[in-house]
Amino acid sequence: SLALGDVATFNRYASTSTNAKEFQKRTFFYGQDTWRATNKLTLNLGVRWEYYFPETVNGAKQGALLNMSDGYLHVAGVGGIGTNMDWEARKLHQFEPRIGIAYQLNEKTVVRGGYGRSFDIGVFGSIFGHTVTQNLPVLAHQSLSNAADSNTGVAFCLGSDADNPGCAGGANWSGSNPTGSVTVPVTGGPIPQLFPSVPSNGLLPNPGTNTTSIARQNPLRFPTLDAWNVSFQRALTPTMSLTLTYVGNKGTNTLSDGDGNNTNTNEAAINLPGSTMAYGQTLSSITGQAIHYDPSASSGSLPDANGATSNQNLLQRYYGGALPACGGPCLWTQGIQFDGDDQNTNFNALQVVLQQQQWKGLAMTANYQWASAFDEAGQYATWSKRVAYGRDSAVRQNAFTAYGSYQLPFGHGKKFMGGANKGEDLLLGGYEVSSTVNISSGLPMTLSFNCNGEIPGSVPCYPNKTGARLKTALNSFDATTQTRTFFSAQTIGGGIFSDPGVDNIGNNGRNTYWGPSFWNTDISVQKTFAIWEKVALKARADAYNALNHINPNNPQTNIQSAGTINGEAPGPGPRYLELSLKATF
């Protein structure tokens, strides 16, 4: 295609404004009190109210938002539409209670508990910025693909028909624009990005093809975190304590795994019902009958008589679905970027902390955590939260960390060589060693296989699990291929895994396996030289990843090939040494 000059996909941004700006007012109030109810019971009670006004822009036509219930881009400052696009927020939902309880059972034992709710403004435009000024009529994200040009089968050609045999057969072609259809001679180049005239009522129909539009919840829903904990702390010695804690939280209307704040509300389904509810509207398929995906079916503009189609456009909500802006089937083929923060998370953990305060030169803290963290990915979440649900990709189930320091008992005034002279103390006294150790289990990973076009591209490809769990083990480093192997290649059918078949998502699910474990050790040695009474010199040597252990990343996860690893896990990297000298006076 490169030699022929046939462009398969094309993306660009075009803008009519250089000064569109977003503004948002934010108001916060809180009250809090710490009350010692009895000599053993202390309560910390508070409530916070924070209100984020829907954002505004700096003038007419300087911003717009797609309303999913009517299909119009609501253009700021036109036709009575406010500069906030008439978006709303729910004032009475923005209260955040805070409760803390501490009860001293006896002089050595304390029980604590707490609950709190917090709100967040999300990221990349879900509440503020990156959205309203990146919609028509301010800015267009033009996106062309093979389906855009029905005559040539490519997005556009770099030259004329005579130059490009791949473009022969069509002297010109049509592409949908916000102002309707435009016909351009095939002399090279993409469809021009024509900016639409805004209707006097400020309601601009979503183009639905070639140009991406961005939507938000209305009223706004803020990412919400409910967190709680209960802990038991016991003093084992005057300088040592043990703490057992249960920690939990629930995230609502928040980011998906991988920090994605948006979903595509126009992604293709496997099975599209004859009618379905979406954002306050009843939508229907292009025929009003149930449609399903079949790679062997017709790719035409209508499904086969049995409802099968290989045209993934027909399986999108807003292709056959009708909204007021469309006056009939919307025929939207472009994805809709819905900045809705509409995923959920949950986290539960048992934490054990053993802490040794300074005692004979030793200070140490050791932590162990067992964690269970689940969330939803963005892919296919608008059709099935169950399919998108799985373990959080960034949370290890088991994690042990320990850190501490030890002042060596040598030198003037110490246990050993307490009577050392200045020269002896300068040479052998004042040393301190510190270290950090991290030993953790692997990160979650999702197994996949070659789905062979049995499901639309918007659907995650999971195999069916039919037998025992896949055996994973980290093989030694292969110097020839520069890789390690975590599992052997699997046969689909007759073994652990099978093909779920056309129109089915495998039951193995998302993030159901664990990658290689992780461990790391950092060591530091420092010595303080007392030069004069108020002047000291501190020399320090740090070794990060002191044992030079290279932690392997997760493997490639297509089970029909060996699970090879060719990179490092996020972490310290190879051993790194640092020498420093600091003077204090």
Side-chain angles (χ1 to χ4, degrees):
S1 61
L2 177 64
L4 294 174
D6 299 341
V7 179
T9 60
F10 174 80
N11 290 272
R12 68 175 169 189
Y13 291 93
S15 181
T16 62
S17 174
T18 59
N19 70 334
K21 301 175 185 178
E22 306 101 338
F23 304 89
Q24 186 176 58
K25 293 183 292 184
R26 303 172 185 173
T27 308
F28 309 93
F29 298 92
Y30 76 93
Q32 182 174 318
D33 182 52
T34 300
W35 174 37
R36 189 166 186 179
T38 71
N39 62 345
K40 291 189 175 183
L41 176 64
T42 301
L43 301 177
N44 186 281
L45 306 174
V47 63
R48 180 181 176 93
W49 180 77
E50 56 185 67
Y51 181 64
Y52 302 83
F53 289 77
E55 71 177 311
T56 61
V57 293
N58 58 325
K61 301 182 184 179
Q62 297 285 38
L65 275 172
L66 175 61
N67 190 315
M68 297 302 304
S69 64
D70 59 23
Y72 288 105
L73 285 154
H74 290 228
V75 181
V78 180
I81 296 174
T83 54
N84 65 357
M85 284 64 67
D86 290 345
W87 246 244
E88 299 176 351
R90 302 176 294 182
K91 298 181 179 66
L92 296 181
H93 286 71
Q94 300 304 114
F95 286 96
E96 302 163 289
R98 307 289 172 88
I99 302 171
I101 301 173
Y103 186 77
Q104 187 172 4
L105 294 175
N106 53 53
E107 62 180 8
K108 293 185 177 182
T109 308
V110 178
V111 177
R112 297 181 178 89
Y115 164 78
R117 168 170 286 188
S118 302
F119 293 111
D120 189 71
I121 62 170
V123 295
F124 300 120
S126 55
I127 300 296
F128 174 74
H130 295 281
T131 295
V132 296
T133 56
Q134 295 191 8
N135 262 329
L136 291 171
V138 179
L139 180 142
H141 177 196
Q142 190 179 13
S143 179
L144 309 178
S145 60
N146 292 353
D149 182 352
S150 59
N151 291 329
T152 67
V154 296
F156 68 88
C157 300
L158 291 176
S160 65
D161 286 350
D163 297 330
N164 292 21
C167 294
N172 50 54
W173 51 276
S174 297
S176 176
N177 263 271
T179 53
S181 181
V182 59
T183 301
V184 185
V186 181
T187 55
I191 302 173
Q193 179 59 55
L194 303 180
F195 280 83
S197 298
V198 178
S200 59
N201 62 2
L203 300 177
L204 179 64
N206 177 46
T209 57
N210 299 336
T211 303
T212 299
S213 294
I214 311 176
R216 276 185 185 152
Q217 301 276 3
N218 192 16
L220 296 174
R221 295 192 307 189
F222 290 81
T224 306
L225 183 73
D226 290 285
W228 53 89
N229 63 79
V230 177
S231 68
F232 174 88
Q233 185 176 34
R234 173 77 175 179
L236 303 179
T237 71
T239 60
M240 180 183 289
S241 65
L242 176 67
T243 305
L244 304 177
T245 306
Y246 160 69
V247 175
N249 63 60
K250 169 70 172 64
T252 308
N253 301 329
T254 186
L255 305 177
S256 67
D257 205 346
D259 286 345
N261 71 325
N262 62 75
T263 53
N264 175 15
T265 58
N266 203 32
E267 62 187 344
I270 297 176
N271 298 280
L272 181 66
S275 64
T276 183
M277 283 290 297
Y279 304 97
Q281 294 285 336
T282 300
L283 307 176
S284 65
S285 70
I286 192 68
T287 60
Q289 304 296 319
I291 302 174
H292 66 94
Y293 180 75
D294 188 337
S296 63
S298 167
S299 61
S301 59
L302 291 174
D304 294 345
N306 62 355
T309 181
S310 61
N311 183 349
Q312 298 183 30
N313 289 339
L314 302 185
L315 295 164
Q316 295 175 311
R317 279 187 182 87
Y318 298 104
Y319 189 84
L323 293 175
C326 306
C330 285
L331 303 181
W332 294 353
T333 57
Q334 194 74 27
I336 301 298
Q337 182 179 321
F338 186 67
D339 290 349
D341 282 328
D342 51 354
Q343 282 77 47
N344 298 303
T345 67
N346 65 72
F347 175 86
N348 292 279
L350 171 66
Q351 300 173 350
V352 182
V353 179
L354 180 65
Q355 186 173 34
Q356 172 66 65
Q357 299 177 9
Q358 195 69 239
W359 176 71
K360 296 184 178 180
L362 174 67
M364 182 198 70
T365 300
N367 304 273
Y368 168 74
Q369 174 178 275
W370 178 89
S372 175
F374 288 84
D375 59 14
E376 296 161 354
Q379 185 182 13
Y380 211 63
T382 67
W383 287 111
S384 173
K385 294 286 190 179
R386 179 188 62 80
V387 170
Y389 188 74
R391 293 190 180 276
D392 188 306
S393 300
V395 177
R396 302 175 187 271
Q397 189 170 49
N398 294 279
F400 172 80
T401 59
Y403 56 91
S405 62
Y406 180 58
Q407 297 174 354
L408 272 64
F410 300 98
H412 185 74
K414 302 289 186 179
K415 182 177 181 179
F416 302 104
M417 300 179 59
N421 59 39
K422 189 171 183 179
E424 292 171 335
D425 188 58
L426 192 66
L427 181 65
L428 300 174
Y431 283 96
E432 182 176 327
V433 179
S434 59
S435 179
T436 300
V437 177
N438 184 330
I439 304 172
S440 302
S441 58
L443 290 169
M445 62 180 189
T446 301
L447 301 183
S448 63
F449 79 115
N450 299 325
C451 280
N452 301 316
E454 295 177 335
I455 51 178
S458 59
V459 184
C461 178
Y462 305 147
N464 256 3
K465 179 180 176 297
T466 56
R469 284 183 64 84
L470 173 67
K471 292 182 179 179
T472 58
L474 191 62
N475 290 351
S476 58
F477 179 71
D478 187 325
T480 303
T481 62
Q482 304 288 300
T483 63
R484 303 181 76 173
T485 303
F486 196 55
F487 59 81
S488 59
Q490 302 294 302
T491 300
I492 300 297
I496 297 175
F497 302 101
S498 64
D499 187 339
V502 174
D503 283 357
N504 291 303
I505 302 174
N507 61 16
N508 197 64
R510 173 179 158 262
N511 280 348
T512 53
Y513 278 79
W514 300 95
S517 59
F518 175 97
W519 63 268
N520 178 68
T521 302
D522 299 334
I523 298 176
S524 172
V525 178
Q526 64 183 30
K527 174 176 171 56
T528 301
F529 299 88
I531 307 300
W532 292 289
E533 183 179 352
K534 294 183 179 181
V535 179
L537 195 65
K538 181 178 288 187
R540 177 168 175 154
D542 288 277
Y544 302 97
N545 191 2
L547 302 181
N548 201 30
H549 172 70
I550 304 303
N551 289 285
N553 206 351
N554 277 1
Q556 74 79 28
T557 55
N558 187 324
I559 57 175
Q560 292 174 274
S561 302
T564 54
I565 302 170
N566 56 13
E568 289 182 68
R575 180 169 47 221
Y576 172 72
L577 302 178
E578 181 179 274
L579 303 178
S580 60
L581 195 64
K582 183 170 79 170
T584 59
F585 54 90

